[in-house]
């Protein structure tokens, strides 16, 4: 399926270009994603997707096949496989950046192929999920781009002697929340589930009526 999304960020196009290539910086803005390694071209990591009570984890790589700085065009090819199943995901993502009113308009075209449990939702639901996830990513990216890159440290002051304090334990890293397809998609999925349940109930009633008549 082919998906298309657009969003804007409040920085010049050159700044937005550098930010989008700084994978480690923007990784926290990617819903459900964890970046394990990035060498400037290849990203290795995982994405968690929740389908009802089931959480599916895809592990794989994403490779920048094209990075045209002069045209502000990038092409990313990602491949992943379920860690506990046979499902797969493959995406070719083409991003184009353009100056717009002092900010940057980002256009993203995604050619997505998914097998396994998430594929049951079809293009309509996946498109709506994509819209919401891209919206979340854009808002997070805008906030990060507006943060100052350099912080002035306050001047050092002489502290009075204090007794040694116990070292505080390092806080554990919070686990990444999976992408919840049912919650993210909202009404379309709820409607589909309702239709499926209604159909199952009608089929059950019909079977019972037939059995009663034959009896």
């Amino acid at each position: 399926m082919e998906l298309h999304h657009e969003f804007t960020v409040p920085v010049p196009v050159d700044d937005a270009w550098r930010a989008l290539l700084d994978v480690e910086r923007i990784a926290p803005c990617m819903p459900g994603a964890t970046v394990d390694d990035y060498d400037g071209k290849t990203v290795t990591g995982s994405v968690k997707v929740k389908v009802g009570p089931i959480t599916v984890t895809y592990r794989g790589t994403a490779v920048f096949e094209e990075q045209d700085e002069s045209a502000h065009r990038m092409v990313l090819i990602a491949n992943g496989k379920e860690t506990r199943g046979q499902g797969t995901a493959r995406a070719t993502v083409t991003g184009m950046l353009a100056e717009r009113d002092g900010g940057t308009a980002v256009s993203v075209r995604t050619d997505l192929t998914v097998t396994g449990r998430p594929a049951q939702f079809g293009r309509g639901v996946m498109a709506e999920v994509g819209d919401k996830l891209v919206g979340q990513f854009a808002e997070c990216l805008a906030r990060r781009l507006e943060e100052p890159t350099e912080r002035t440290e306050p001047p050092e002051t002489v502290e009075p002697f204090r007794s040694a304090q116990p070292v505080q334990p390092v806080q554990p890293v919070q686990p990444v929340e999976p992408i919840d397809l049912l919650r993210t998609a909202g009404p379309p999925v709820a409607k589909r589930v309702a239709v499926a349940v209604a159909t199952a109930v009608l089929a059950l009633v019909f079977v019972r009526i037939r059995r009663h008549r034959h009896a």
Side-chain angles (χ1 to χ4, degrees):
M1 68 185 74
E2 186 170 306
L3 308 173
H4 185 261
H5 301 95
E6 292 186 352
F7 62 91
T8 59
V9 289
V11 295
V13 65
D14 289 334
D15 293 345
W17 173 263
R18 287 191 293 269
L20 288 173
L21 292 179
D22 189 349
V23 174
E24 294 176 344
R25 180 184 179 189
I26 67 173
C29 292
M30 303 175 186
T34 299
V35 174
D36 297 328
D37 185 57
Y38 176 52
D39 62 8
K41 182 177 180 180
T42 302
V43 184
T44 303
S46 61
V47 176
K48 292 183 178 180
V49 179
K50 186 177 180 182
V51 185
I54 301 172
T55 298
V56 180
T57 300
Y58 293 92
R59 290 196 60 82
T61 60
V63 180
F64 282 98
E65 291 291 328
E66 181 181 337
Q67 295 180 12
D68 189 339
E69 185 174 0
S70 61
H72 295 122
R73 181 179 187 272
M74 64 180 71
V75 178
L76 182 73
I77 297 180
N79 289 279
K81 185 180 184 301
E82 287 185 33
T83 57
R84 296 182 178 180
Q86 299 300 315
T88 61
R90 175 181 172 83
T92 300
V93 183
T94 304
M96 294 285 294
L97 282 65
E99 195 86 34
R100 180 180 295 175
D101 299 329
T104 300
V106 183
S107 174
V108 181
R109 189 178 74 251
T110 305
D111 187 359
L112 176 65
T113 302
V114 180
T115 66
R117 281 161 287 193
Q120 65 183 296
F121 293 104
R123 187 187 185 285
V125 173
M126 295 299 289
E128 180 155 343
V129 171
D131 289 341
K132 294 185 178 180
L133 294 179
V134 169
Q136 295 174 17
F137 173 79
E139 290 177 4
C140 177
L141 179 62
R143 290 195 301 269
R144 286 186 170 267
L145 290 177
E146 289 175 340
E147 293 175 353
T149 54
E150 296 183 1
R151 297 182 179 180
T152 303
E153 297 293 335
E156 295 184 0
T157 58
V158 178
E159 294 284 346
F161 176 77
R162 295 178 181 177
S163 60
Q165 299 293 325
V167 178
Q168 296 296 325
V170 177
Q171 295 297 322
V173 178
Q174 294 296 322
V176 175
E177 288 293 324
I179 303 170
D180 192 330
L181 291 183
L182 294 179
R183 186 174 62 184
T184 303
V189 174
K191 182 179 179 180
R192 175 172 296 185
V193 172
V195 171
V197 171
T199 302
V201 170
L202 288 175
L204 181 60
V205 170
F206 179 72
V207 170
R208 288 186 175 179
I209 291 174
R210 291 191 62 182
R211 287 179 178 176
H212 178 72
R213 286 181 177 176
H214 284 300

